Amino acid sequence: MTESNKNLLLSLQKYSASAMLLFFILINALLTPNFFRAGTLNNVITQICPTILCSMGMTLVISTGGIDISVGSVMAMAGVITARLMTGSGLIPAVAAAVAVSVLIGCITGFMVGKLRLQAMVVTLGLMLGLRGVAQVVCSGRDIYFNKLGDVGAQLSQWGSFKIAGCIPVQIIPIFLSVLFVWIMIEKTILGRQIQAVGDSPKSSTLAGIHSVRILMIVYGISAFFAAFAGIFQAAKVSVAAGSSLGQLAELDAIAAVVIGGTPMSGGKAHVAGTIVGALIMQVITLTCVMNNIPDQYAQVFKAAIIVIAVFIQREKTK
Amino acid sequence: MKLLKQAYHSLYSRSTILAFLLLVIFASFIFQDKNFLTANNIFNILLKAAKNGGFLALGMTFVILCAEIDLSVGAVFALSGVVMGLAGAYNPWLGIVSGLVVGLISGLMIGFMVTKMRISSWIASLAMLFALRGVIQIIAKKSVVIEGDILTFAKAKILPEVIPGMTSGISILIPLLFIMTFLCMYVSHHTRFGMQIYAVGGNCEAARMMGINVDRIKISAFVCCGLIAALSGILLASSSGSATLSAGNTYETYAIAMCAIGGVKLTGGEGKFSGTFFGILIYFIINTIFTYLPTSISVHWQSIIMGALVLISVAVQSEIFGRIQFHRKKAGKTI
Amino acid sequence: MSEILLEIEGLEKSFPGVHALKRVRLQVRKGEVHALMGENGAGKSTLIKVLTGIYQKNSGTIRFDGEEINARTPIEANEKGISTIYQELNLIPFQTVYENLFLGREPLSRCRRIDRQKMISETQRILNDLGVSIDVTRPLGHYSTAIQQMVAIARTVSINAKLVIMDEPTSSLDAKEVQILFRIIRQLKKQGISVIFISHKLDEIFEICDRLTILKDGEYVGDYDIREMNQLRLVSLMVGRDMAKLERSKQEYRFSNAKPIAELKNIHQGMRLHGIDLEIRQGEVVGLAGLLGSGRTEIAQILFGSTMPDDGEIFWWGEKVHIHSPSDAIRKGMGFCTEDRKTEGIIPHLSVRENITIALLPKLQSFGFIKTKEQNDIVQSYIKRLKIKTPSPEQAICNLSGGNQQKVLLARWMCMNPKLMILDEPTRGIDVGAKAEIENLIRELSKSGISVLMISSEIAELERNCDRIIVIRDGKVTGELTGVEISQDTIMETIAKNGREEVTEHD
């Protein structure tokens, strides 16, 4: 292969996700009536919030070479705990408690993966089953409707439906904060460096004096932290906390966003911007189908194909 | 001392069966009044296992032994039933065959993506899960009714009046589950394919150097998994008379859990189908126990216990206990 | 004279930037054990990989058993009758012994069932022929490395191999197990099978081999009958004299009264170290000499906390300490440039900047944020000082040459202001220019009062840079040279000395 060809291929890989996103937006510009309206953007923001939150944590986890498939269940657990506690304790303490429990569980996951050297996949699979059960137990298997919870319920519902300045959905705040947080962490802090170092070469990192167990505990803790907020915001949006369905398949969306965004499954690199692009691609596909009255099911098949294509294009880079 | 070591090893290697026995004894004592150990109840548990994803764990074992994973089994399970119902409306035999073809195609595609496109099986089968769930919704809007003698073959019962308490006989799903288990055990123990699966999962590179066609083994394992999942979906649809669109939702995680509980090592290369079978039984016994408990105890504890069981079983599989077993490993472990 | 089985003539192999094999020749006769000798980087493993089809040769001929061959894959080489026993055993630990023996060519009985009975009895027969009696139905992982190796050898025998290549087969065996292995090698000889034996342990070579071929820097040095060879001559042929103009810079030993900063007392570890006593004084450069596998690297690992000793004490500035992890050692003021730069040194996809400061980061922070300006200053100053050639500090380190990667790693520790630097093979795979620069740096470090523990297989390098040299052999200190005593000849003599006695002691 000649040098220029190689470069072309490399840049193709590098920008494949962005190119794909642009391509979809272009198609929409041509085919979808009313695509460029504020409503569309607002729609995207409200829908994408949990995916972005979870995928930010997932980006960190995957960049350490692990995976966290328990985020969906953490979402459910956090949402349900908040809903159960807030009538007694008020909204903020309830949220704090839910988040604290989630972070604790995340740290334990990190410990099991780092210190006990269990496979991340299996540990989080166990948690995925177990925490879904915890969520169900906490809500006694019934959906908790916020409109029956009086003032506090209405307050939490506001977290999901409030519009800043009357037009921008409130979900923009967690999205913005989480992206900013993870981006700063990756780019500016020593923790970010150490996370990528551990994912890139665990042996070299340990020999350079990095406590990999501590790093993994923090990373899984952060993942659970974001997942908890994703759960609370998602519950707020629909005004109901359902232990059975809240956050179902959220882990899959998050993983898909991360890998489409070019963060290699083998770890060592975190592409925060790529993850956002990945999440947007998935969302735009859904939206395109909705706005053109194509049933959602087609969107799903299409998404599957996009995931495979995106991973296939970027696969050389991950090796 | 030596005796103790031997005892430990033999118990360790049989920990699944041990857990199973303990569970049965425990349950039969506690639920004496609920007739836990009656034929009726035992067959009920087995029937539940045969209907709700017991087969999936058997198929999943093939894939996990190769050190891969298949998240699409739940979707295949649902789709095959739906396809059988739709195609069966024209010709019942066509229905059954096309139901199985669903599993075949899904297995082939995942296998192709994993071996030829070198995409991780998590991503490949995840994409397949998305796609198949979408396809289900596209081809059917609501549950498909399964009619006709041929299509509802799984409603058949055998051995009427033979087993006390089972006057109308037992559903053929139960013997089918046993037959499938024995078939899998046979394949894994007595065929080249079975032996080579273990080699591929145990050390892929070494297997390749030994002249084993690793890609072909992996694709075959995915096909086995897909076919068994499709068969299971067909059996459920056929025995219940309708194919629901959401059937098998999240069953993939339960199938993996049953394998893990059954002592199948998720890093590949180690594990037995008999272990998986006991994993299935443990799962469904716990499942049944929860129906006995007073309603004040939520049935959802079941899920928590399952999660804990998965964690325990991987911890048991991990170095911590393994180290005791492989005490001859050389000292001087470096980081 | 017996018949020639393998004949390699004028073999050439180059990789981008490296001429790995230059007109190499090798002759192996039927039924002989032939040693392939040479220090690391001499081209032994490249030669083996070409022979077994993992690499493709550029030119030259390989004649095997009378016909010219050019294997494209290991499987093809296997079919021709060339089998390799790798250091990393290519077997499947979870499967039983007999399954491992027959994988890929399982015998079938009626109805395409695999015939386990036949496999078991065949395996027992083959292993009995080799004098090994074990329960073949147990998983391979239950047995010791030695037994696993026997099984690997049995596998090669059962597929009618004519030539078995053993790449450092004894590296993880104890003395008794080595004897078992040797018995089996003799058995193979009797059956007319040839063996190419690679080992760094000289005693073993003299015990088991009939002839040997020496390679150095990818070139053929010669082949010799083992009877016309002695240890000293072998060592000097392998290591060779360094032709570079670099001169020894040290003369008098000036550190007799310096304060010891690190001491190891009676350290035992696994099968590698058997009672090591060692002292490093402030400001001196201590060299660890000895052949590969003698335990040099293990000493460094123990000092740096990446391996725990089974027994023994470590003192730091006269105080007894326990070093549990590399970060403990770093906090005490140590730095460790490992032998294997690729997997235990660089963090490949991070930039030069990150790689230099990764260990320093905890000191470069305010509230967890990296002080970018200070970081850049440090990075820039070290890039300048060590003349690291990189397009920019943002370049991923895996794109740099070996010499520059090594300088980055040196910079990583130098910026920590260490008290002790441990350098394991600091100039391996580095070109001459960068080598001189790194040696200069070592001198600078020592001048500024930093102690250096240097491990090297290159005797000339040790001679040039060390104030004191400690010779390690089979996990024990066997000699010490200081100041003016140090010369290439004395080092080699000390390494070669006492070999025979050691072995009889083991038996």
Side-chain angles (χ1 to χ4, degrees):
Chain A
M1 196 185 296
T2 62
E3 196 61 20
S4 65
N5 260 345
K6 213 174 200 170
N7 282 339
L8 187 73
L9 199 75
L10 276 177
S11 53
L12 187 73
Q13 284 179 352
K14 192 169 174 189
Y15 297 110
S16 55
S18 315
M20 221 182 261
L21 179 61
L22 246 127
F23 175 72
F24 285 123
I25 293 177
L26 257 171
I27 285 191
N28 275 302
L30 294 174
L31 299 181
T32 314
N34 301 330
F35 185 72
F36 289 101
R37 284 187 327 164
T40 314
L41 190 60
N42 284 352
N43 207 334
V44 169
I45 291 170
T46 36
Q47 301 288 343
I48 209 172
C49 177
T51 311
I52 288 270
L53 281 172
C54 290
S55 63
M56 282 298 122
M58 193 69 80
T59 307
L60 295 177
V61 173
I62 290 184
S63 71
T64 63
I67 198 161
D68 184 355
I69 55 174
S70 69
V71 288
S73 297
V74 173
M75 277 175 73
M77 184 188 69
V80 171
I81 290 180
T82 309
R84 275 305 284 267
L85 291 182
M86 66 186 179
T87 43
S89 66
L91 183 55
I92 300 299
V95 170
V99 172
V101 171
S102 308
V103 171
L104 182 71
I105 287 165
C107 290
I108 295 171
T109 315
F111 182 80
M112 290 196 275
V113 174
K115 189 77 185 177
L116 307 184
R117 305 214 182 149
L118 302 180
Q119 271 180 295
M121 198 77 80
V122 191
V123 173
T124 51
L125 170 73
L127 286 174
M128 176 187 179
L129 294 174
L131 297 182
R132 177 69 62 187
V134 171
Q136 298 265 41
V137 170
V138 170
C139 71
S140 318
R142 281 185 293 274
D143 300 351
I144 304 172
Y145 289 93
F146 293 173
N147 55 13
K148 289 178 190 155
L149 295 179
D151 278 352
V152 201
Q155 221 176 329
L156 185 53
S157 291
Q158 277 292 304
W159 285 30
S161 57
F162 184 74
K163 296 260 191 298
I164 301 165
C167 59
I168 306 163
V170 70
Q171 279 84 358
I172 193 78
I173 296 172
I175 290 177
F176 181 74
L177 288 180
S178 66
V179 171
L180 191 71
F181 178 82
V182 173
W183 185 79
I184 287 180
M185 191 161 90
I186 288 294
E187 298 293 329
K188 302 283 174 202
T189 69
I190 65 166
L191 186 64
R193 291 305 132 78
Q194 293 177 336
I195 289 172
Q196 294 183 56
V198 169
D200 199 3
S201 172
K203 256 186 183 172
S204 296
S205 307
T206 315
L207 283 167
I210 297 173
H211 291 279
S212 50
V213 177
R214 198 182 295 164
I215 300 288
L216 287 176
M217 285 173 73
I218 295 174
V219 165
Y220 283 90
I222 292 174
S223 171
F225 175 84
F226 284 135
F229 272 107
I232 294 166
F233 278 105
Q234 184 65 8
K237 193 186 92 190
V238 291
S239 281
V240 55
S244 56
S245 63
L246 184 55
Q248 194 105 55
L249 297 184
E251 58 280 347
L252 301 187
D253 278 334
I255 294 169
V258 174
V259 294
I260 292 177
T263 300
M265 292 283 278
S266 51
K269 273 265 169 285
H271 292 285
V272 180
T275 302
I276 300 169
V277 172
L280 281 172
I281 288 178
M282 307 275 281
Q283 199 58 47
V284 168
I285 294 171
T286 315
L287 206 67
T288 311
C289 294
V290 171
M291 292 180 77
N292 290 301
N293 294 323
I294 302 167
D296 186 42
Q297 305 81 1
Y298 289 95
Q300 219 172 336
V301 178
F302 201 57
K303 273 185 198 169
I306 293 296
I307 293 172
V308 170
I309 292 168
V311 175
F312 181 65
I313 292 174
Q314 292 169 353
R315 139 206 87 137
E316 290 302 334
K317 205 166 56 178
T318 56
K319 200 59 214 163
Chain B
M1 190 59 212
K2 201 174 171 202
L3 205 72
L4 204 74
K5 208 180 264 171
Q6 270 176 359
Y8 173 79
H9 287 166
S10 64
L11 286 184
Y12 177 78
S13 56
R14 290 175 184 77
S15 50
T16 307
I17 299 176
L18 207 68
F20 168 73
L21 289 177
L22 281 177
L23 189 67
V24 169
I25 294 167
F26 168 82
S28 47
F29 267 110
I30 302 216
F31 303 108
Q32 244 166 354
D33 54 327
K34 302 265 197 329
N35 303 323
F36 182 79
L37 275 184
T38 57
N40 204 336
N41 195 31
I42 290 169
F43 283 109
N44 253 334
I45 294 174
L46 287 172
L47 185 60
K48 233 194 263 178
K51 273 187 174 176
N52 300 321
F55 285 96
L56 301 187
L58 290 174
M60 186 71 83
T61 308
F62 279 106
V63 177
I64 292 180
L65 283 177
C66 284
E68 302 285 351
I69 199 86
D70 186 353
L71 298 174
S72 71
V73 288
V76 172
F77 179 77
L79 181 60
S80 62
V82 171
V83 166
M84 176 180 82
L86 293 176
Y90 302 102
N91 178 331
W93 295 108
L94 177 74
I96 293 171
V97 170
S98 48
L100 287 172
V101 167
V102 168
L104 178 72
I105 293 176
S106 155
L108 279 176
M109 283 179 74
I110 299 173
F112 179 82
M113 287 190 276
V114 170
T115 56
K116 307 294 177 195
M117 292 168 76
R118 287 189 286 126
I119 294 173
S120 125
S121 55
W122 283 85
I123 302 295
S125 60
L126 171 65
M128 194 53 90
L129 160 69
F130 277 159
L132 294 186
R133 284 278 169 209
V135 169
I136 295 170
Q137 303 279 338
I138 292 168
I139 61 172
K141 298 288 167 257
K142 57 179 171 48
S143 300
V144 180
V145 180
I146 312 275
E147 288 168 320
D149 285 344
I150 298 172
L151 282 186
T152 55
F153 67 96
K155 275 187 179 165
K157 297 194 167 183
I158 54 168
L159 303 176
E161 316 271 353
V162 175
I163 294 145
M166 307 286 290
T167 38
S168 59
I170 56 174
S171 163
I172 61 157
L173 288 185
I174 295 170
L176 278 177
L177 180 64
F178 278 99
I179 289 170
M180 183 54 83
T181 308
F182 283 120
L183 199 64
C184 290
M185 284 163 70
Y186 181 85
V187 167
S188 74
H189 196 70
H190 290 297
T191 67
R192 278 194 171 171
F193 170 62
M195 203 163 127
Q196 295 186 347
I197 277 184
Y198 284 93
V200 169
N203 185 343
C204 189
E205 269 320 299
R208 190 166 281 140
M209 296 284 272
M210 289 175 173
I212 294 172
N213 187 339
V214 172
D215 287 0
R216 210 185 63 206
I217 298 290
K218 281 191 178 172
I219 293 176
S220 312
F222 280 112
V223 168
C224 282
C225 180
L227 277 178
I228 293 176
L231 176 70
S232 176
I234 290 173
L235 289 177
L236 176 72
S238 162
S239 65
S240 59
S242 78
T244 42
L245 305 191
S246 63
N249 229 344
T250 71
Y251 275 19
E252 52 277 352
T253 49
Y254 291 108
I256 298 170
M258 289 179 225
C259 293
I261 294 169
V264 179
K265 209 161 189 182
L266 285 129
T267 42
E270 259 187 305
K272 285 185 178 152
F273 281 93
S274 53
T276 303
F277 186 70
F278 282 107
I280 297 168
L281 291 185
I282 290 175
Y283 176 88
F284 284 100
I285 290 174
I286 292 178
N287 184 295
T288 309
I289 286 175
F290 273 94
T291 59
Y292 297 153
L293 297 177
T295 45
S296 59
I297 300 172
S298 165
V299 288
H300 302 296
W301 276 101
Q302 185 190 337
S303 175
I304 299 175
I305 288 176
M306 291 307 294
L309 268 181
V310 170
L311 287 181
I312 292 169
S313 50
V314 289
V316 170
Q317 288 176 11
S318 79
E319 285 176 26
I320 311 166
F321 291 85
R323 202 174 292 157
I324 305 171
Q325 189 170 27
F326 293 98
H327 56 101
R328 299 206 48 174
K329 214 175 224 173
K330 290 277 149 36
K333 209 164 116 45
T334 51
I335 293 174
Chain C
M1 184 162 178
S2 53
E3 208 179 326
I4 285 170
L5 176 72
L6 172 75
E7 189 169 22
I8 296 177
E9 279 294 344
L11 191 69
E12 294 269 341
K13 172 73 194 170
S14 46
F15 299 102
V18 192
H19 199 165
L21 294 178
K22 298 163 207 157
R23 303 173 54 74
V24 164
R25 52 176 302 216
L26 176 68
Q27 264 188 4
V28 179
R29 295 179 195 153
K30 251 193 191 131
E32 76 169 354
V33 181
H34 194 104
L36 190 56
M37 303 292 295
E39 280 296 309
N40 270 351
K44 288 170 302 185
S45 35
T46 316
L47 176 60
I48 297 304
K49 282 179 178 163
V50 171
L51 183 56
T52 53
I54 295 172
Y55 294 154
Q56 300 304 305
K57 66 185 180 198
N58 295 112
S59 65
T61 56
I62 303 175
R63 293 180 70 79
F64 183 73
D65 208 15
E67 67 174 308
E68 187 164 339
I69 60 160
N70 185 18
R72 259 168 261 273
T73 61
I75 297 166
E76 210 180 308
N78 243 324
E79 281 163 4
K80 297 262 195 270
I82 302 176
S83 290
T84 315
I85 316 276
Y86 293 97
Q87 261 166 301
E88 307 280 313
L89 285 170
N90 259 328
L91 294 173
I92 292 136
F94 310 131
Q95 285 190 286
T96 62
V97 172
Y98 72 86
E99 284 172 327
N100 268 292
L101 218 62
F102 281 96
L103 267 170
R105 50 197 183 85
E106 303 84 353
L108 296 180
S109 62
R110 284 171 298 109
C111 351
R112 296 189 57 75
R113 260 172 82 120
I114 49 177
D115 192 341
R116 285 183 187 261
Q117 270 319 315
K118 192 174 166 199
M119 287 199 281
I120 292 170
S121 57
E122 275 289 289
T123 308
Q124 254 152 2
R125 191 183 58 75
I126 295 166
L127 285 175
N128 277 339
D129 283 354
L130 291 174
V132 180
S133 56
I134 52 171
D135 180 0
V136 298
T137 57
R138 294 189 68 186
L140 187 71
H142 278 279
Y143 293 107
S144 66
T145 322
I147 299 288
Q148 296 192 20
Q149 229 158 26
M150 309 304 148
V151 175
I153 293 171
R155 186 178 159 93
T156 66
V157 173
S158 72
I159 55 175
N160 300 320
K162 294 173 192 139
L163 174 67
V164 180
I165 300 165
M166 299 189 188
D167 191 356
E168 298 217 32
T170 59
S171 57
S172 50
L173 303 186
D174 64 28
K176 220 174 101 200
E177 292 171 327
V178 169
Q179 288 310 319
I180 300 175
L181 176 70
F182 283 179
R183 206 185 66 222
I184 286 175
I185 292 179
R186 290 191 190 105
Q187 198 83 37
L188 293 182
K189 261 169 82 171
K190 258 185 224 154
Q191 298 178 18
I193 298 169
S194 311
V195 175
I196 293 181
F197 189 84
I198 301 174
S199 172
H200 289 278
K201 296 182 183 163
L202 298 184
D203 304 333
E204 293 173 5
I205 301 291
F206 282 95
E207 188 177 346
I208 192 74
C209 297
D210 302 311
R211 291 197 317 136
L212 55 89
T213 293
I214 298 177
L215 298 182
K216 181 169 163 36
D217 298 331
E219 281 178 83
Y220 168 79
V221 177
D223 63 26
Y224 308 89
D225 199 294
I226 200 79
R227 279 161 299 187
E228 63 184 50
M229 188 55 75
N230 62 42
Q231 293 216 6
L232 182 58
R233 179 151 174 245
L234 179 55
V235 171
S236 54
L237 279 170
M238 269 162 63
V239 175
R241 296 300 168 110
D242 200 316
M243 302 306 168
K245 282 155 210 70
L246 301 162
E247 287 293 316
R248 172 159 168 77
S249 61
K250 313 266 180 180
Q251 284 306 326
E252 290 294 310
Y253 185 66
R254 300 172 287 114
F255 301 95
S256 312
N257 300 318
K259 207 174 165 195
I261 81 164
E263 280 172 89
L264 300 179
K265 285 211 174 128
N266 196 25
I267 295 284
H268 286 264
Q269 196 264 316
M271 298 170 15
R272 295 295 206 167
L273 302 180
H274 310 287
I276 291 281
D277 291 297
L278 189 77
E279 186 181 81
I280 301 164
R281 303 185 185 124
Q282 193 176 10
E284 70 172 341
V285 181
V286 178
L288 286 184
L291 295 176
L292 207 78
S294 57
R296 303 173 309 190
T297 301
E298 285 75 11
I299 294 176
Q301 284 171 345
I302 285 194
L303 203 51
F304 199 66
S306 63
T307 308
M308 293 298 134
D310 299 336
D311 195 15
E313 294 170 316
I314 304 172
F315 294 86
W316 182 251
W317 290 115
E319 235 175 88
K320 191 176 169 188
V321 289
H322 293 279
I323 300 170
H324 293 291
S325 69
S327 66
D328 279 356
I330 292 167
R331 226 173 291 129
K332 297 208 159 46
M334 290 186 227
F336 183 17
C337 289
T338 48
E339 179 184 12
D340 185 357
R341 262 198 312 271
K342 282 214 178 72
T343 63
E344 299 187 333
I346 62 168
I347 298 167
H349 297 98
L350 295 196
S351 65
V352 171
R353 182 165 58 103
E354 318 291 356
N355 266 289
I356 290 181
T357 52
I358 191 80
L360 187 67
L361 278 178
K363 291 182 191 163
L364 266 184
Q365 57 160 337
S366 58
F367 306 108
F369 286 90
I370 300 166
K371 293 186 193 157
T372 322
K373 199 181 159 304
E374 284 175 38
Q375 187 192 26
N376 282 333
D377 290 348
I378 290 170
V379 169
Q380 285 298 347
S381 77
Y382 276 96
I383 287 180
K384 233 194 216 152
R385 190 171 151 202
L386 306 192
K387 303 196 190 72
I388 298 171
K389 287 189 205 80
T390 169
S392 96
E394 304 310 317
Q395 182 75 17
I397 192 170
C398 53
N399 297 328
L400 264 55
S401 73
N404 284 305
Q405 289 183 358
Q406 186 69 321
K407 288 187 196 168
V408 169
L409 294 180
L410 282 168
R412 177 190 290 174
W413 300 116
M414 284 168 68
C415 69
M416 305 282 296
N417 294 322
K419 310 240 170 22
L420 169 66
M421 285 279 272
I422 305 168
L423 308 176
D424 194 354
E425 301 283 1
T427 63
R428 165 166 312 159
I430 289 174
D431 60 81
V432 182
K435 214 176 208 173
E437 287 177 48
I438 287 173
E439 290 187 13
N440 275 330
L441 264 173
I442 294 173
R443 252 162 255 155
E444 259 178 58
L445 289 174
S446 140
K447 254 179 224 151
S448 60
I450 298 170
S451 312
V452 177
L453 180 68
M454 180 169 167
I455 299 169
S456 176
S457 305
E458 272 193 61
I459 303 223
E461 185 176 281
L462 290 173
E463 183 209 16
R464 283 196 299 275
N465 300 298
C466 297
D467 297 302
R468 192 153 62 93
I469 286 178
I470 291 165
V471 179
I472 312 286
R473 181 168 179 141
D474 299 331
K476 284 180 190 153
V477 176
T478 56
E480 184 177 314
L481 303 166
T482 51
V484 283
E485 287 170 22
I486 297 172
S487 75
Q488 294 196 33
D489 290 331
T490 51
I491 299 173
M492 273 190 268
E493 268 164 35
T494 325
I495 294 177
K497 188 175 71 183
N498 295 334
R500 285 284 158 198
E501 292 156 36
E502 286 290 318
V503 164
T504 43
E505 221 172 86
H506 272 299
D507 297 339

